[in-house]
Amino acid sequence: MAERTAALGLGGTVTVSHAYALGQVDGPELDRTAAALAAAGVAITTNGPRATMPPVLRLCDHGVRVFAGSDNIRDSWWPYGTADMLERATIIGLQGGLMTDEELHTAASLIIDGAAAALGLTGYGLAPGDRADLVVIAADGVPEAVAAHPERLLVLHGGQVVGPEPRTTYPRFALPSP
């Protein structure tokens, strides 16, 4: 995949979905593959539910763009899908053994910055003029947001409320949502 992407000059436009096979190799083979993917500009997306999910930390260490997605919303292949990307970050963190605060930040980045970059989104984030796609949660920071299953207080898409009814209490933390 990396070789073909490079040969066609498609770096930055190719993504391998799931990439379970990367979870079945390690050591020098994984390092060679990750280096080739990074050099060719091939991204990896994972939804994280399998023991053979790609080793996200190792891939990120090699400079591979890794992000999270969810293509299964309560279907016959994976009945646990909810379209909740913060839940997806939690699953990836649990499945991938991401335990430190830094690693939990990486899990969050897979659903936030990594996904937005892979999708080529502009006007994305928490700055004036951005799309206002976000999830407001009851958490003190990113590690707690990923690990503690915080309540979703408000969900906005394009500035429109699409999640729980607005509350009168103020949240402590908000995550942008691609």
Side-chain angles (χ1 to χ4, degrees), residues 14-15 18 48 84 95 105 157 163 175:
V14 174
T15 298
H18 302 300
D84 182 329
Q95 195 66 18
H105 272 274
H157 180 71
L175 288 176

Side-chain angles (χ1 to χ4, degrees), residues 18 45-49 67-72 85 88 92 110-111 115:
H18 302 300
T45 185
T46 184
N47 62 356
F67 64 102
S70 181
D71 58 350
N72 305 103
M85 292 309 294
R88 186 63 39 199
I92 290 168
L110 298 178
I111 65 163

Side-chain angles (χ1 to χ4, degrees), residues 137-173:
I137 56 175
D140 283 329
V142 172
E144 183 179 346
V146 173
H149 310 284
E151 180 183 0
R152 278 52 166 181
L153 302 173
L154 180 66
V155 180
L156 299 178
H157 180 71
Q160 301 296 312
V161 175
V162 297
E165 291 296 318
R167 296 176 169 234
T168 57
T169 58
Y170 293 97
R172 297 179 290 172
F173 188 74

Side-chain angles (χ1 to χ4, degrees), residues 9 17 43 52 72-73 78 83 133 161 166:
S17 181
T52 58
N72 305 103
I73 310 301
W78 182 253
D133 292 338
V161 175

Side-chain angles (χ1 to χ4, degrees), residues 46-172:
T46 184
N47 62 356
R50 300 233 178 181
T52 58
M53 72 175 235
V56 296
L57 295 177
R58 290 269 302 271
L59 292 169
C60 289
D61 286 347
H62 280 281
V64 177
R65 174 175 286 159
V66 181
F67 64 102
S70 181
D71 58 350
N72 305 103
I73 310 301
R74 301 216 43 182
D75 62 14
S76 60
W77 184 78
W78 182 253
Y80 301 102
T82 63
D84 182 329
M85 292 309 294
L86 185 53
E87 179 182 70
R88 186 63 39 199
T90 302
I91 290 168
I92 290 168
L94 286 167
Q95 195 66 18
L98 284 64
M99 299 297 172
T100 67
D101 282 358
E102 181 180 347
E103 292 169 347
L104 294 172
H105 272 274
T106 298
S109 179
L110 298 178
I111 65 163
I112 300 170
D113 306 323
L119 293 170
L121 297 180
T122 58
Y124 168 77
L126 294 176
D130 289 345
R131 287 184 35 93
D133 292 338
L134 58 95
V135 177
V136 179
I137 56 175
D140 283 329
V142 172
E144 183 179 346
V146 173
H149 310 284
E151 180 183 0
R152 278 52 166 181
L153 302 173
L154 180 66
V155 180
L156 299 178
H157 180 71
Q160 301 296 312
V161 175
V162 297
E165 291 296 318
R167 296 176 169 234
T168 57
T169 58
Y170 293 97
R172 297 179 290 172

Side-chain angles (χ1 to χ4, degrees), residues 31-45:
D31 291 336
R32 278 191 302 275
T33 303
L37 292 169
V42 175
I44 300 294
T45 185

